[in-house]
Amino acid sequence: MAYRLGEVILSRDTIARRVKELAEEIANDYGKDKSIVVVGILTGAAFFLTDIVRELPEDIDVRVDFMSVASYGDNTESSGVVRIFHDLKSSIEGKHVIVVEDIVDSGLTLSHLIGLLEGRHPESLKVCVLLDKYERRKTEVKVDYCGFRIPDKFVVGYGLDYAGKWRHLKDIKYVVAE
Ligand code: PRP
């Protein structure tokens, strides 16, 4: 089946406003005394992460690290098994960690990741996601910062892909079957 881009679900302005709000929430929660490690889960979250950290005040001690894991590949269902392709560069032991994801769907990827990262003994670990497809949850995940709750429809853009395509869109759009 062929797919094409559909309507905009979240415009670039709506996303930018919400990203700013989330950054303010994070800045208020952690303050200036705590060092934060923001962990982005490649590839999708890289777009959201780079925007959100740049909205944090200059006097916040924030580091950025990335992990590359696979759960979906080119399919639309999570396998539930997270394979690590690229691990963090630095230890998170004793650190305040915020895991940043573009989307939580079944919750399987995040719950695996949280378990894995908790095992490395961070001082604290919170989760920040741009999109929450809450209707599809198969396992409970505690999301501390959430951009938007969205319906169970396929969306792309702002880091989200369909078979590797359309990540570069500034707006988040529906994908529709032709
Ligand atoms: C997406 C997303 C999460 C996962 C969420 O990643 O970034 O990691 O799926 O799905 P779940 O809650 O059902 O586990 P994907 O594997 O598509 O990788 P990508 O970021 O490289 O596109």
Side-chain angles (χ1 to χ4, degrees), residues 101-166:
E101 263 289 24
D102 51 352
I103 188 163
V104 54
D105 192 329
S106 68
L108 294 169
T109 307
L110 260 176
S111 76
H112 273 79
L113 261 174
I114 291 166
L116 192 140
L117 294 176
E118 289 282 14
R120 297 180 184 184
H121 309 293
E123 174 72 28
S124 70
L125 195 153
K126 286 192 180 181
V127 171
C128 174
V129 302
L130 179 67
L131 305 178
D132 182 355
K133 246 188 206 178
Y134 59 97
E135 293 164 320
R136 303 222 343 144
R137 202 73 91 253
K138 285 185 185 156
T139 182
E140 206 180 308
V141 185
K142 189 174 73 77
V143 175
D144 302 281
Y145 305 99
C146 172
F148 306 93
R149 280 158 61 90
I150 61 162
D152 182 16
K153 299 244 173 83
F154 217 92
V155 296
V156 293
Y158 197 69
L160 294 140
D161 70 308
Y162 172 72
K165 262 172 52 172
W166 292 320

Side-chain angles (χ1 to χ4, degrees), residues 7-55:
E7 302 272 294
V8 171
I9 169 170
L10 294 163
S11 73
R12 61 197 75 182
D13 295 343
T14 304
I15 297 167
R17 270 197 304 273
R18 188 70 187 119
V19 166
K20 229 176 206 167
E21 285 173 3
L22 290 173
E24 271 169 30
E25 250 185 81
I26 290 171
N28 287 335
D29 289 354
Y30 289 85
K32 292 168 194 161
D33 305 328
K34 288 180 183 152
S35 314
I36 317 171
V37 182
V38 178
V39 170
I41 311 304
L42 296 169
T43 303
F47 299 70
F48 174 41
L49 181 145
T50 55
D51 280 350
I52 200 164
V53 295
R54 283 178 297 170
E55 292 297 341

